[in-house]
Structure formats: C-alpha cells, structure tokens
C-alpha cells in the first residue's frame, strides 16, 4: 500500500524512517504494557525507538491487561 | 476408554503433543484440566505458588489442596482424569532468562500469568527464542458477563484471548476466567491439529 501502513486494522499515513515509537504517538497509544508485531515479527520494547516500520506494513499492537 | 467420544483423529495427534503452561492459576489450571480431558500427551506445568483459599473462586483446586504447591496439587487432579498424561512439574518462579529453556520441548505455550508486566516479558522471551511456535495468551478477562466481547485474535505467532480491556481490578469471576481458559485450550488444540495436517 503506497504511503500507508495498517495499525490494528486501521490504515494510517506512512513516512520514511517512521519508528515503532512514532506509530504509537500517531495512534495515541499511551497504555504502559504493549506487545507489538510488524508483519508477524515481534519487536522488543527496547527496540521501539529505533525499529523502523516499512511502507505497507501490518502493525499489531496488543494491550496487556492483568488477570489470570 | 477416556477418549472414546473425542473428535475422530484428535486423540492420536494430542497424545504426541507437548504444551507448556506458564502459571497454574485461574487460566493455567483450567486450561491444563481441559487439555488433559482432550487427551494431551504431555504438559509442562510451571508455578512458584501454593494454593490459597482466595484461589478457589476460579482455579481448579479444592479445600484439601490449601497450602500445597499448585503444580503438585494440579498434577494430582490431572492424573485423576487421565493417569497416562505425562507431567513435567516446575515449582519455580519463571524469569525472562529461564522461560525459553523451561518450555524448549513444547509445541505450544499457554501464557497464564496474572500480571500484565509478566505477560509482556514472557511473550517477548518466547517470540525471541521460538518465533515459529505459537503462544496462546489472555488479556482482558476481568468482571463477569460480556461473553460476546471475548475474542480470539492473532498477531504473528501470538494468539490473544480476551476482551483486551477489562482488568483484574474489576475482580475475577470463575465463569469468565474459565471462558478464557477454555478458549486458550481450544485454540491450542486447533493449532496442534493444523500442525499435524489433520485440522481445518
């Protein structure tokens, strides 16, 4: 998808060099505990500020709630 | 014949499978019970805790288990269902460093922790070490009712059960916790059948 990525099934604008942290800011995801996958590959929390999101990527952001 | 009424072809597949259970509380104890009734061959059970009275509102334990390590008590209940089930018991606190090795022989891992912080590092550790093997997690199982909000979503090798919203601070009700545990067990069975080439 030219110039776009999909985040939790929502299509948003993409820009070159966009990081995982940038995506969280754009989506206004401020919840503390998240798991993030890009095209089925898990991105560790430590890598969020530097991991870039490729154009057309499918990004899944899972919110983790306590209870078990 | 415990498994005479199983879905045809299922018992043979499950008897060859190993499933890890990270945490033997509300999710883990019930998922383990359901997988044992389904005919699972081997379970790797990990929990550091002992059974307390406050566990009995949702976990597969009984008054006679109070004070007993959860892995030990659960093993007795599972063997009372199927004496042939193989059980690896680890009465220990898992960590980011030990999780992958503890479950190294498992086809699938069921994440059954209480705290969201622990869920996060377990998922990270599993995905880093076993990116091609499924992990079946739960998030958002608090409160009661709202069954229609319980979903099964997938992101890569992560299969996530729950409503993604409700927290344990709402309180935990057996019916809703067991609903999530049943969805976890059902997903694990489905994945094992698919892996064998017999599932849809």
């Amino acid at each position: 998808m030219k110039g776009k990525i999909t985040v939790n099934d929502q299509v948003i604008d993409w820009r070159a060099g966009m990081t995982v942290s940038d995506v969280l800011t754009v989506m206004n995801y401020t919840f503390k505990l998240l798991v993030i996958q890009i095209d089925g590959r898990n991105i560790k929390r430590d890598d969020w500020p530097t991991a870039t999101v490729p154009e057309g990527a499918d990004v899944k952001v899972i919110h983790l709630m306590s209870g078990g | 014949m415990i498994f005479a009424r199983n879905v045809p072809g299922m018992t043979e597949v499950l008897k060859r499978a190993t499933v890890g259970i990270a945490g033997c509380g509300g999710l883990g104890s019930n998922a383990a019970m359901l997988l044992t009734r389904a005919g699972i061959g081997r379970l790797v059970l990990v929990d550091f805790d002992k059974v307390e009275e406050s566990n009995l509102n949702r976990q597969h334990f009984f008054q006679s288990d109070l004070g007993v390590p959860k892995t030990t008590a659960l093993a007795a209940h599972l063997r009372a269902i199927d004496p042939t089930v193989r059980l690896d018991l680890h009465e220990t606190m898992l960590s980011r460093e030990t999780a992958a090795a503890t479950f190294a022989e498992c086809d699938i891992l069921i994440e059954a922790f209480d705290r969201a912080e622990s869920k996060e590092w377990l998922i990270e550790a599993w995905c880093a070490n076993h990116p091609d093997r499924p992990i079946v997690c739960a998030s958002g199982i608090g409160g009661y009712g709202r069954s229609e909000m319980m979903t099964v979503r997938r992101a890569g090798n992560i299969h996530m059960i729950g409503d993604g919203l409700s927290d344990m601070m709402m309180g935990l009700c057996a019916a809703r916790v067991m609903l999530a545990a049943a969805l976890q067990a059902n997903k694990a069975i489905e994945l094992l059948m698919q892996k064998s080439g017999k599932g849809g």
Side-chain angles (χ1 to χ4, degrees):
Chain A
M1 208 175 352
K2 195 76 176 165
K4 303 285 182 184
I5 58 172
T6 306
V7 184
N8 287 356
D9 300 324
Q10 185 181 335
V11 177
I12 66 168
D13 289 334
W14 172 86
R15 58 176 169 73
M18 195 175 201
T19 66
V20 170
S21 295
D22 293 334
V23 171
L24 296 180
T25 302
V26 170
M27 295 298 292
N28 200 24
Y29 286 156
T30 57
F31 192 72
K32 196 172 60 158
L33 294 161
L34 302 171
V35 168
I36 297 175
Q37 293 227 342
I38 299 176
D39 294 328
R41 185 171 50 90
N42 192 67
I43 310 298
K44 287 193 297 184
R45 174 179 288 276
D46 291 348
D47 296 335
W48 293 356
T50 54
T52 54
V53 182
E55 185 177 22
D58 182 23
V59 182
K60 299 288 188 195
V61 182
I62 300 169
H63 292 62
L64 296 174
M65 312 299 293
S66 290
Chain B
M1 278 295 292
I2 304 172
F3 308 111
R5 298 289 298 274
N6 263 8
V7 177
M10 192 176 107
T11 311
E12 295 75 11
V13 172
L14 295 189
K15 273 294 163 200
R16 287 196 298 271
T18 300
V19 174
I21 308 274
C24 296
L27 293 167
S29 66
N30 287 304
M33 177 269 289
L34 292 165
L35 288 169
T36 301
R37 290 195 190 282
I40 200 74
R42 181 183 172 203
L43 293 171
V44 178
L45 306 174
V46 184
D47 200 298
F48 70 94
D49 218 351
K50 292 181 169 59
V51 179
E52 297 176 12
E53 202 160 20
S54 63
N55 301 147
L56 302 188
N57 79 324
R58 68 192 187 284
Q59 305 184 15
H60 191 70
F61 299 112
F62 304 91
Q63 290 284 344
S64 56
D65 295 325
L66 296 179
V68 178
K70 288 185 177 182
T71 51
T72 305
L74 184 57
H77 302 319
L78 301 179
R79 289 187 177 117
I81 295 168
D82 177 10
T84 71
V85 66
R86 288 177 59 198
L87 302 172
D88 297 6
L89 309 182
H90 299 267
E91 190 190 348
T92 183
M93 186 176 281
L94 276 172
S95 71
R96 185 189 295 266
E97 290 72 31
T98 61
T102 303
F103 297 111
E105 295 178 14
C106 296
D107 300 296
I108 291 177
L109 178 61
I110 290 185
E111 176 281 307
F113 282 159
D114 218 14
R115 298 176 61 241
E117 291 85 349
S118 305
K119 293 174 186 284
E120 185 182 281
W121 64 248
L122 179 64
I123 294 169
E124 277 199 2
W126 181 262
C127 291
N129 290 278
H130 307 297
D132 299 323
R133 287 190 240 169
I135 178 168
V136 184
C137 313
S139 171
I141 63 169
Y144 57 85
R146 295 172 295 112
S147 303
E148 70 282 0
M149 293 187 67
M150 297 295 258
T151 60
V152 184
R153 289 164 293 151
R154 180 180 178 185
N157 64 328
I158 302 171
H159 299 262
M160 185 60 72
I161 311 291
D163 61 32
L165 295 170
S166 61
D167 191 79
M168 64 188 292
M169 299 303 285
M170 299 173 70
L172 295 165
C173 165
R176 205 156 195 266
V177 173
M178 287 183 71
L179 181 58
L183 288 170
Q184 285 185 293
N186 201 36
K187 175 52 72 177
I189 292 166
E190 182 183 28
L191 291 166
L192 290 168
M193 293 301 290
Q194 286 172 352
K195 184 185 169 195
S196 76
K198 293 187 177 177

